Amino acid sequence: MAVGGSRTNGRRQPTLAQLRAFAAVAEHLHFRDAAAAIGMSQPALSGAVSALEEVLGVTLLERTTRKVLLSPAGERLAVRAKAVLEEIGALMEEADAVRAPFTGALRLGVIPTVAPYLLPTVLNLVHDRYPHLDLQVHEEQTANLLDGLTTGRLDLLLLAVPLGVPGVVELPLFDEDFVLVTPLDHWLGGREGIPREALRELNLLLLDEGHCLRDQALDICREAGREDIPVTTTAAGLSTLVQLVAGGLGVTLLPRTAVEVETTRNGRLLTGYFADPAPTRRVAFAMRAGAARGAEYEELAASLREALRPLPVRVLGPGD
């Protein structure tokens, strides 16, 4: 066992073996008992302590024929040595935890148009199936989430795709339809089989810039043949958006997962459904390519797909 010490910036450093030997002697004040406690021979223990004294340039022990005493320097440094060894132990325990799947922290980023509607399912799943996982949730817009993922601030994202970002892998979860939310007196309120072309003439209310749902709504309108949408009123969230609709300021598009939460609180709203194929969005997990915990994220995605089946969505397979 090496006891000579390593070098950092030209200065010799103590080894863990030296620190363990000294800490054992400091605790037992007896070479034989200390050696037995850490499974080291008595000569090796004595040599390790002597080497540590040489490395540190101080006398740690006062040796007599009958007993061992700590020197004043030894009294002070024994506390430090014990603290270092405790931190090494904590480091090893943390490494064990990291190696164990679904333990430790998982920093999940979620977009605002997904968080209120899917997080109850996600949180219940984690609570029931992965109780040792420390899930930390961050609700932010897509651009901030992607920045957090690529810089390492976040581990996994839950958001609308496709992203088309190099180095980011998408794990598809489900597709869901958009529905049309209108005031009670609107001519399309409550109808089914609404053609997309109807969007060309509607006063469509949108979220603020930066929300991916705004961009998706604009894309749906372009696909319906509408290029220009005069923006006179916007909202920071879907809850405000549907209240504006209830007040008669226009209509809006909601993903199906948001309908029950956002429309049942107001009796002045109706929901219309588009003819097939309805406009849709896809929601997925996103992770860094080559993520160390990639296999865990794929397993979590598989578990979440099953948990999502009661919701009004079309659950996807891993290869979709």
Side-chain angles (χ1 to χ4, degrees), residues 221-239:
C221 290
R222 294 187 188 100
E223 291 171 3
R226 180 174 182 175
E227 292 296 330
D228 297 324
I229 300 179
V231 179
T232 58
T233 302
T234 62
L238 293 183
S239 296

PDB file of all heavy atoms in Angstrom, residues 221-239:
ATOM      1  N   CYS A 221     -53.311  27.938 -39.084  1.00  0.00           N
ATOM      2  CA  CYS A 221     -54.023  28.919 -39.903  1.00  0.00           C
ATOM      3  C   CYS A 221     -53.416  29.023 -41.299  1.00  0.00           C
ATOM      4  O   CYS A 221     -54.140  29.142 -42.296  1.00  0.00           O
ATOM      5  CB  CYS A 221     -54.018  30.281 -39.212  1.00  0.00           C
ATOM      6  SG  CYS A 221     -55.057  30.350 -37.733  1.00  0.00           S
ATOM      7  N   ARG A 222     -52.099  28.973 -41.377  1.00  0.00           N
ATOM      8  CA  ARG A 222     -51.452  29.026 -42.698  1.00  0.00           C
ATOM      9  C   ARG A 222     -51.829  27.806 -43.530  1.00  0.00           C
ATOM     10  O   ARG A 222     -52.065  27.908 -44.737  1.00  0.00           O
ATOM     11  CB  ARG A 222     -49.939  29.126 -42.528  1.00  0.00           C
ATOM     12  CG  ARG A 222     -49.470  30.434 -41.896  1.00  0.00           C
ATOM     13  CD  ARG A 222     -47.954  30.548 -41.907  1.00  0.00           C
ATOM     14  NE  ARG A 222     -47.508  31.696 -41.140  1.00  0.00           N
ATOM     15  CZ  ARG A 222     -47.040  31.633 -39.897  1.00  0.00           C
ATOM     16  NH1 ARG A 222     -46.949  30.451 -39.287  1.00  0.00           N
ATOM     17  NH2 ARG A 222     -46.663  32.712 -39.261  1.00  0.00           N
ATOM     18  N   GLU A 223     -51.880  26.636 -42.862  1.00  0.00           N
ATOM     19  CA  GLU A 223     -52.280  25.419 -43.574  1.00  0.00           C
ATOM     20  C   GLU A 223     -53.718  25.523 -44.075  1.00  0.00           C
ATOM     21  O   GLU A 223     -54.084  24.910 -45.087  1.00  0.00           O
ATOM     22  CB  GLU A 223     -52.138  24.209 -42.649  1.00  0.00           C
ATOM     23  CG  GLU A 223     -50.691  23.864 -42.308  1.00  0.00           C
ATOM     24  CD  GLU A 223     -50.594  22.810 -41.215  1.00  0.00           C
ATOM     25  OE1 GLU A 223     -51.660  22.324 -40.779  1.00  0.00           O
ATOM     26  OE2 GLU A 223     -49.470  22.489 -40.809  1.00  0.00           O
ATOM     27  N   ALA A 224     -54.532  26.299 -43.370  1.00  0.00           N
ATOM     28  CA  ALA A 224     -55.926  26.500 -43.783  1.00  0.00           C
ATOM     29  C   ALA A 224     -56.058  27.572 -44.848  1.00  0.00           C
ATOM     30  O   ALA A 224     -57.172  27.870 -45.296  1.00  0.00           O
ATOM     31  CB  ALA A 224     -56.787  26.852 -42.568  1.00  0.00           C
ATOM     32  N   GLY A 225     -54.948  28.186 -45.236  1.00  0.00           N
ATOM     33  CA  GLY A 225     -54.974  29.192 -46.283  1.00  0.00           C
ATOM     34  C   GLY A 225     -55.054  30.619 -45.794  1.00  0.00           C
ATOM     35  O   GLY A 225     -55.366  31.527 -46.563  1.00  0.00           O
ATOM     36  N   ARG A 226     -54.767  30.818 -44.509  1.00  0.00           N
ATOM     37  CA  ARG A 226     -54.819  32.178 -43.962  1.00  0.00           C
ATOM     38  C   ARG A 226     -53.416  32.644 -43.634  1.00  0.00           C
ATOM     39  O   ARG A 226     -52.704  32.001 -42.871  1.00  0.00           O
ATOM     40  CB  ARG A 226     -55.687  32.199 -42.701  1.00  0.00           C
ATOM     41  CG  ARG A 226     -55.803  33.576 -42.048  1.00  0.00           C
ATOM     42  CD  ARG A 226     -56.790  33.533 -40.900  1.00  0.00           C
ATOM     43  NE  ARG A 226     -56.954  34.844 -40.275  1.00  0.00           N
ATOM     44  CZ  ARG A 226     -57.809  35.120 -39.314  1.00  0.00           C
ATOM     45  NH1 ARG A 226     -58.612  34.153 -38.864  1.00  0.00           N
ATOM     46  NH2 ARG A 226     -57.897  36.329 -38.803  1.00  0.00           N
ATOM     47  N   GLU A 227     -53.022  33.769 -44.169  1.00  0.00           N
ATOM     48  CA  GLU A 227     -51.668  34.268 -43.962  1.00  0.00           C
ATOM     49  C   GLU A 227     -51.592  35.336 -42.885  1.00  0.00           C
ATOM     50  O   GLU A 227     -50.693  35.345 -42.057  1.00  0.00           O
ATOM     51  CB  GLU A 227     -51.112  34.827 -45.284  1.00  0.00           C
ATOM     52  CG  GLU A 227     -50.872  33.760 -46.338  1.00  0.00           C
ATOM     53  CD  GLU A 227     -49.810  32.758 -45.913  1.00  0.00           C
ATOM     54  OE1 GLU A 227     -48.895  33.116 -45.153  1.00  0.00           O
ATOM     55  OE2 GLU A 227     -49.910  31.595 -46.345  1.00  0.00           O
ATOM     56  N   ASP A 228     -52.505  36.260 -42.909  1.00  0.00           N
ATOM     57  CA  ASP A 228     -52.430  37.399 -41.988  1.00  0.00           C
ATOM     58  C   ASP A 228     -53.467  37.256 -40.876  1.00  0.00           C
ATOM     59  O   ASP A 228     -54.656  37.062 -41.132  1.00  0.00           O
ATOM     60  CB  ASP A 228     -52.683  38.714 -42.736  1.00  0.00           C
ATOM     61  CG  ASP A 228     -51.613  38.973 -43.787  1.00  0.00           C
ATOM     62  OD1 ASP A 228     -50.442  38.630 -43.522  1.00  0.00           O
ATOM     63  OD2 ASP A 228     -51.956  39.499 -44.864  1.00  0.00           O
ATOM     64  N   ILE A 229     -52.974  37.357 -39.625  1.00  0.00           N
ATOM     65  CA  ILE A 229     -53.870  37.354 -38.470  1.00  0.00           C
ATOM     66  C   ILE A 229     -53.610  38.636 -37.688  1.00  0.00           C
ATOM     67  O   ILE A 229     -52.563  38.788 -37.059  1.00  0.00           O
ATOM     68  CB  ILE A 229     -53.630  36.127 -37.567  1.00  0.00           C
ATOM     69  CG1 ILE A 229     -53.883  34.840 -38.354  1.00  0.00           C
ATOM     70  CG2 ILE A 229     -54.527  36.184 -36.342  1.00  0.00           C
ATOM     71  CD1 ILE A 229     -53.653  33.591 -37.541  1.00  0.00           C
ATOM     72  N   PRO A 230     -54.532  39.604 -37.754  1.00  0.00           N
ATOM     73  CA  PRO A 230     -54.316  40.835 -36.984  1.00  0.00           C
ATOM     74  C   PRO A 230     -54.324  40.529 -35.490  1.00  0.00           C
ATOM     75  O   PRO A 230     -55.265  39.922 -34.977  1.00  0.00           O
ATOM     76  CB  PRO A 230     -55.513  41.719 -37.387  1.00  0.00           C
ATOM     77  CG  PRO A 230     -56.550  40.766 -37.883  1.00  0.00           C
ATOM     78  CD  PRO A 230     -55.810  39.618 -38.497  1.00  0.00           C
ATOM     79  N   VAL A 231     -53.259  40.924 -34.805  1.00  0.00           N
ATOM     80  CA  VAL A 231     -53.127  40.626 -33.385  1.00  0.00           C
ATOM     81  C   VAL A 231     -53.450  41.886 -32.588  1.00  0.00           C
ATOM     82  O   VAL A 231     -52.667  42.837 -32.558  1.00  0.00           O
ATOM     83  CB  VAL A 231     -51.703  40.127 -33.053  1.00  0.00           C
ATOM     84  CG1 VAL A 231     -51.595  39.839 -31.558  1.00  0.00           C
ATOM     85  CG2 VAL A 231     -51.387  38.885 -33.866  1.00  0.00           C
ATOM     86  N   THR A 232     -54.617  41.888 -31.975  1.00  0.00           N
ATOM     87  CA  THR A 232     -55.026  43.034 -31.158  1.00  0.00           C
ATOM     88  C   THR A 232     -55.041  42.704 -29.678  1.00  0.00           C
ATOM     89  O   THR A 232     -54.947  43.596 -28.835  1.00  0.00           O
ATOM     90  CB  THR A 232     -56.423  43.511 -31.568  1.00  0.00           C
ATOM     91  OG1 THR A 232     -57.345  42.424 -31.425  1.00  0.00           O
ATOM     92  CG2 THR A 232     -56.431  43.971 -33.025  1.00  0.00           C
ATOM     93  N   THR A 233     -55.181  41.432 -29.346  1.00  0.00           N
ATOM     94  CA  THR A 233     -55.246  41.001 -27.949  1.00  0.00           C
ATOM     95  C   THR A 233     -54.495  39.688 -27.806  1.00  0.00           C
ATOM     96  O   THR A 233     -54.678  38.769 -28.605  1.00  0.00           O
ATOM     97  CB  THR A 233     -56.704  40.784 -27.499  1.00  0.00           C
ATOM     98  OG1 THR A 233     -57.426  41.998 -27.674  1.00  0.00           O
ATOM     99  CG2 THR A 233     -56.762  40.374 -26.033  1.00  0.00           C
ATOM    100  N   THR A 234     -53.626  39.577 -26.806  1.00  0.00           N
ATOM    101  CA  THR A 234     -52.907  38.340 -26.532  1.00  0.00           C
ATOM    102  C   THR A 234     -52.990  38.055 -25.040  1.00  0.00           C
ATOM    103  O   THR A 234     -53.424  38.896 -24.255  1.00  0.00           O
ATOM    104  CB  THR A 234     -51.427  38.425 -26.953  1.00  0.00           C
ATOM    105  OG1 THR A 234     -50.783  39.460 -26.188  1.00  0.00           O
ATOM    106  CG2 THR A 234     -51.284  38.722 -28.432  1.00  0.00           C
ATOM    107  N   ALA A 235     -52.555  36.855 -24.662  1.00  0.00           N
ATOM    108  CA  ALA A 235     -52.589  36.458 -23.253  1.00  0.00           C
ATOM    109  C   ALA A 235     -51.315  35.716 -22.909  1.00  0.00           C
ATOM    110  O   ALA A 235     -50.692  35.090 -23.769  1.00  0.00           O
ATOM    111  CB  ALA A 235     -53.801  35.580 -22.968  1.00  0.00           C
ATOM    112  N   ALA A 236     -50.944  35.770 -21.633  1.00  0.00           N
ATOM    113  CA  ALA A 236     -49.730  35.090 -21.179  1.00  0.00           C
ATOM    114  C   ALA A 236     -49.956  33.616 -20.906  1.00  0.00           C
ATOM    115  O   ALA A 236     -49.009  32.843 -20.822  1.00  0.00           O
ATOM    116  CB  ALA A 236     -49.191  35.767 -19.927  1.00  0.00           C
ATOM    117  N   GLY A 237     -51.228  33.188 -20.740  1.00  0.00           N
ATOM    118  CA  GLY A 237     -51.516  31.794 -20.446  1.00  0.00           C
ATOM    119  C   GLY A 237     -52.873  31.397 -20.975  1.00  0.00           C
ATOM    120  O   GLY A 237     -53.709  32.242 -21.327  1.00  0.00           O
ATOM    121  N   LEU A 238     -53.120  30.082 -21.025  1.00  0.00           N
ATOM    122  CA  LEU A 238     -54.374  29.588 -21.583  1.00  0.00           C
ATOM    123  C   LEU A 238     -55.578  29.972 -20.730  1.00  0.00           C
ATOM    124  O   LEU A 238     -56.673  30.185 -21.264  1.00  0.00           O
ATOM    125  CB  LEU A 238     -54.303  28.070 -21.743  1.00  0.00           C
ATOM    126  CG  LEU A 238     -53.306  27.550 -22.781  1.00  0.00           C
ATOM    127  CD1 LEU A 238     -53.385  26.030 -22.883  1.00  0.00           C
ATOM    128  CD2 LEU A 238     -53.563  28.184 -24.144  1.00  0.00           C
ATOM    129  N   SER A 239     -55.417  30.055 -19.421  1.00  0.00           N
ATOM    130  CA  SER A 239     -56.537  30.434 -18.561  1.00  0.00           C
ATOM    131  C   SER A 239     -57.065  31.814 -18.918  1.00  0.00           C
ATOM    132  O   SER A 239     -58.277  32.036 -19.025  1.00  0.00           O
ATOM    133  CB  SER A 239     -56.117  30.387 -17.089  1.00  0.00           C
ATOM    134  OG  SER A 239     -55.799  29.079 -16.702  1.00  0.00           O
TER     135      SER A 239
END
